[in-house]
Amino acid sequence: MSSSDTTAKPADLTPLKQDPTYGRMANALRALAMDAVEAANSGHPGMPMGMADVATVLFAEHLKFDPTDPHWPDRDRFVLSAGHGSMLLYGLLHLTGYPGVTLDEIKHFRQLGHMTAGHPEYGHIVGAEVTTGPLGQGITNAVGMAFAERLLNARFGDALVDHHTYVIAGDGCLMEGISHEAMSIAGHYQLGKLIVFWDNNSISIDGATDLAVSDDQEMRFRSHGWHVQAVDGHDPQAVSRAIAAAKAVTDKPSMIACKTTIGLGAPSKAGTAGAHGAALGAEEIEGARIKLNWPYDAFEVPDDIRAQWKAVAAKGAAPHAAWKRRHAAAKAEVRETFDRQIAGELTPGWDKAIVEIVAKFAAERPKIATRQASQQVLNALAPVMPELLGGSADLTPSNLTQAKTQTVATPKDFSGSYVHWGVREHGMAAAMNGIAVHGGLVPYGGTFLVFADYNRPSIRLAALMGIRVIHVMTHDSIGLGEDGPTHQPVETLAALRAIPNLLVFRPADPIETAECWALALQHKTRPSILALSRQGIPTLRASGAENSSSRGAYVLAPASGPRKATILATGTEVALAMAAREKLEAEGIPTAVVSMPSWELFAEQTHAYRTEVLGETDNRIGVEAAVGFGWERWIGTKGRFVGMSSFGASGPADKLYQHFGITVEAVVAAAKEGV
């Protein structure tokens, strides 16, 4: 068969020779996969059939898990990065007795209202450690999980934290650019408890992988500092020996290249692209039952094989019980801190730190960039929040994301609470997702706002999973100045605001910056973006008893009489709006200024509150140093927008604002048009 040929081969019904210990257990996974995909007439049977042997020996001999407590903190993590092969995971969860993963769920694979979705979804099915689907995400999430394990181990010791992270990744995962970032991070930090199985089946959707890639993957992993082995993926004993050898290496992550046949057992489609992403068909499945010596009806798993899988699941009880004893024996303070952090509860007193920094800003009235205000907030939070894990994609001096008290985590010392991610924005974002789902830490990471486009797939998945990950994104507009249009994110806010369940904060001054940090920390089930300025802006607010930013928008300055104009603005442009209001009021035009640090939170307020803030006048002016897409929601059809309609330019910030017409005079003129 040529590399471009995707057609099936002549049928071969010769029964396969399989391992006497694990062969039938693996065949149960194969049969459930091909039957479920056939019933749905949708899905990917090939990878589950090809990797069934590897998965079986991993679960049977090495993986530390207990289905009776799927969230046991010291369990090993298993990530199916090749998420299209979801039936492999669902078959494993079903046969080992994870709660709710019934045979009926398997029969309703990919059907609305069932937990067995097309790709594994975190929080949707017990046992899916992370939402995988876009290739390369899972392996990078796993880097974050392995990182979290090392960081927490440094804090709480082997007694409470000592587990491995295992990944099944396919050729597609390794082709995606993010995998290079993941491998580099893991190799640099010597994450010895990370073990990746490469499903080396040489097949992609279009045909053989040599259509598009000729990388020496083993050499590639070695060059990143990994321990590498190659085995026959259908030889359980060889796979088990390789896992044992990988676990013995403590100063390098491990990759085990598993040579497999995609769709193993399919009489004519095995080893071809025809087994990858479609139901095999009744005739092919009938032949597969012969080749696999599986004389059972669809979805039938004989009792003796179910008993073998249940025995595998029962093995986790002993290490789980031992961990519980160690947990109970820990000092009360250590145990309470560990339990609180794993539960995602913030250390008591963190909110007092916010109150104090807000009072400081209110008293001192600094004129500083919101990125500088953010650093001062972090300086206040870091000493009282041991769960806070910071970092930056090689922009620490620009993002100002490292607090004074934060020390740096290194390959030899994971006790630090700050990570240098290097110029790996996407890898950082996906690893932070892994840290968040692992539990025990609250990750935040910095880069420029314009690079949100590099992070976006991971930001989207964080929003889909509903996890607390905080992205500190500075240099938020044309106000960054001389770096020019390549770095000026005129359209980025609109793009981020389009993502469901994502909070986008653009604070107007130091006090709002502190309030937005508090909100990002409080929202356990939503990721956040903090869009922060490079240029200095005045403190506009006074401190108050409540967090005014918590409602998303509020009247910062009321009109002196019945409103004739409402100026709505975010971030650095709120100060500009305040100056325009002063001129309008002086000319007898009562004008209110509304600061809108979070459109998402404002949209969730009552209709009455939104009406009160926006005012009855339809003379509304939106002001933001970004494109106007989306502003019509707030300013209405009769409103006007002062902002960008093009890319930016290179030059000093003040001259850019003048050049692009984002000025007090422009706002005043826009308001007068509607009077």
Side-chain angles (χ1 to χ4, degrees):
M1 185 178 70
S2 70
S3 63
S4 60
D5 188 359
T6 61
T7 59
K9 304 171 296 185
D12 175 8
L13 297 179
T14 306
L16 296 173
K17 292 181 180 180
Q18 293 186 285
D19 182 81
T21 303
Y22 296 121
R24 294 181 74 225
M25 294 174 68
N27 284 344
L29 295 171
R30 293 185 174 100
L32 288 174
M34 64 185 185
D35 290 341
V37 172
E38 187 70 17
N41 194 28
S42 174
H44 301 76
M47 192 283 276
M49 296 174 74
M51 285 296 284
D53 295 309
V54 173
T56 298
V57 74
L58 171 64
F59 272 64
E61 296 188 3
H62 296 278
L63 193 73
K64 183 173 65 172
F65 72 107
D66 185 353
T68 67
D69 186 1
H71 304 295
W72 165 31
D74 202 37
R75 69 193 181 280
D76 287 342
R77 270 53 170 187
F78 172 63
V79 177
L80 190 68
S81 187
H84 56 276
S86 56
M87 265 310 304
L88 178 62
L89 176 62
Y90 300 154
L92 290 162
L93 298 178
H94 169 66
L95 292 171
T96 54
Y98 274 74
V101 192
T102 63
L103 188 60
D104 184 66
E105 285 293 331
I106 299 296
K107 290 179 178 179
H108 288 89
F109 175 56
R110 288 186 164 223
Q111 302 307 300
L112 184 64
H114 290 269
M115 64 177 65
T116 47
H119 293 81
E121 295 183 25
Y122 172 81
H124 190 67
I125 184 169
V126 175
E129 299 284 5
V130 68
T131 295
T132 57
L135 295 177
Q137 284 287 330
I139 188 174
T140 319
N141 299 152
V143 169
M145 293 179 189
F147 213 139
E149 190 274 344
R150 291 290 82 198
L151 291 161
L152 292 172
N153 173 269
R155 291 155 175 74
F156 297 104
D158 290 347
L160 294 181
V161 184
D162 185 14
H163 55 264
H164 285 80
T165 302
Y166 296 95
V167 186
I168 288 180
D171 290 299
C173 293
L174 301 191
M175 288 188 217
E176 289 286 359
I178 192 174
S179 73
H180 296 261
E181 299 183 27
M183 291 156 53
S184 184
I185 293 167
H188 173 76
Y189 284 103
Q190 301 175 17
L191 300 178
K193 289 185 175 291
L194 173 64
I195 299 175
V196 172
F197 302 96
W198 168 34
D199 178 17
N200 180 17
N201 62 34
S202 302
I203 292 294
S204 62
I205 293 175
D206 283 354
T209 53
D210 64 12
L211 287 167
V213 64
S214 53
D215 300 5
D216 183 336
Q217 297 289 10
E218 294 176 37
M219 184 63 73
R220 181 180 156 217
F221 273 86
R222 286 192 182 97
S223 75
H224 282 298
W226 288 57
H227 174 253
V228 177
Q229 303 171 81
V231 299
D232 177 354
H234 301 303
D235 181 345
Q237 280 67 42
V239 172
S240 187
R241 288 193 298 270
I243 297 172
K247 290 164 71 174
V249 177
T250 59
D251 61 347
K252 291 182 179 181
S254 290
M255 188 274 267
I256 303 173
C258 303
K259 190 59 185 174
T260 63
T261 299
I262 191 171
L264 183 75
S268 63
K269 294 184 179 180
T272 75
H276 176 85
L280 295 176
E283 183 178 350
E284 188 77 1
I285 288 177
E286 183 180 354
R289 294 190 194 282
I290 295 172
K291 282 188 70 69
L292 296 172
N293 191 24
W294 190 260
Y296 308 109
D297 292 336
F299 298 106
E300 181 183 355
V301 178
D303 291 343
D304 64 321
I305 298 178
R306 286 193 176 276
Q308 285 181 288
W309 275 108
K310 287 297 174 67
V312 165
K315 289 182 180 180
H320 189 184
W323 180 84
K324 284 184 173 180
R325 290 191 293 271
R326 295 194 301 273
H327 178 266
K331 292 181 180 179
E333 181 181 353
V334 172
R335 184 172 61 250
E336 290 167 7
T337 300
F338 176 81
D339 291 347
R340 181 180 64 248
Q341 288 188 207
I342 290 295
E345 301 299 330
L346 303 180
T347 299
W350 75 272
D351 48 350
K352 181 181 177 183
I354 292 289
V355 170
E356 290 174 352
I357 192 67
V358 166
K360 180 176 181 292
F361 288 146
E364 296 177 1
R365 317 297 293 175
K367 182 179 181 179
I368 55 176
T370 51
R371 63 171 176 158
Q372 293 173 292
S374 172
Q375 185 178 46
Q376 292 189 35
V377 173
L378 288 170
N379 286 336
L381 289 173
V384 298
M385 289 187 68
E387 64 270 37
L388 202 61
L389 179 71
S392 172
D394 197 49
L395 286 169
T396 299
S398 294
N399 300 147
L400 304 180
T401 38
Q402 185 175 4
K404 291 178 181 178
T405 58
Q406 287 179 313
T407 58
V408 175
T410 71
K412 301 300 182 183
D413 183 1
F414 286 94
S415 63
S417 59
Y418 193 80
V419 181
H420 289 298
W421 293 106
V423 188
R424 306 183 185 101
E425 295 89 353
H426 197 187
M428 174 184 71
M432 287 199 300
N433 286 354
I435 290 167
V437 299
H438 178 280
L441 297 165
V442 178
Y444 70 89
T447 188
F448 290 165
L449 181 60
V450 75
F451 299 144
D453 288 341
Y454 283 0
N455 295 14
R456 187 180 177 86
S458 297
I459 294 172
R460 180 180 183 273
L461 285 170
L464 178 61
M465 288 188 279
I467 56 176
R468 179 172 50 199
V469 177
I470 302 170
H471 294 271
V472 180
M473 294 189 162
T474 67
H475 296 58
D476 67 345
S477 73
I478 62 169
L480 66 88
E482 290 83 355
D483 274 349
T486 60
H487 284 54
Q488 293 168 3
V490 296
E491 81 289 4
T492 311
L493 288 169
L496 291 170
R497 286 167 177 158
I499 299 176
N501 200 44
L502 174 66
L503 293 174
V504 180
F505 294 106
R506 190 167 185 249
D509 74 349
I511 290 176
E512 277 196 6
T513 302
E515 291 181 337
C516 291
W517 257 110
L519 293 167
L521 290 167
Q522 286 172 330
H523 280 85
K524 290 177 63 175
T525 60
R526 301 171 84 165
S528 296
I529 307 290
L530 292 168
L532 306 175
S533 74
R534 176 179 184 261
Q535 74 272 36
I537 51 176
T539 299
L540 302 170
R541 277 270 309 282
S543 59
E546 72 166 9
N547 183 328
S548 296
S549 299
S550 66
R551 292 189 174 189
Y554 61 96
V555 177
L556 175 61
S560 60
R563 267 196 229 181
K564 292 189 177 180
T566 301
I567 306 172
L568 303 101
T570 75
T572 46
E573 287 67 68
V574 175
L576 188 150
M578 291 288 282
R581 172 189 176 273
E582 185 176 351
K583 286 184 174 293
L584 289 164
E585 287 278 352
E587 295 185 34
I589 303 173
T591 302
V593 170
V594 173
S595 180
M596 304 187 73
S598 171
W599 287 15
E600 297 78 26
L601 292 180
F602 186 54
E604 294 167 9
Q605 303 307 307
T606 64
H607 180 267
Y609 178 77
R610 294 198 307 270
T611 300
E612 176 187 347
V613 169
L614 295 174
E616 295 183 3
T617 178
D618 56 14
N619 183 21
R620 299 176 192 163
I621 303 91
V623 190
E624 190 170 62
V627 297
F629 189 85
W631 270 97
E632 61 277 0
R633 181 178 188 183
W634 309 119
I635 62 177
T637 58
K638 296 183 179 180
R640 285 158 300 286
F641 178 72
V642 176
M644 297 294 293
S645 59
S646 67
F647 291 111
S650 179
D654 56 346
K655 293 186 181 302
L656 291 176
Y657 273 80
Q658 288 288 334
H659 175 75
F660 289 107
I662 307 174
T663 62
V664 171
E665 292 74 21
V667 176
V668 169
K672 287 182 175 179
E673 284 182 34
V675 174

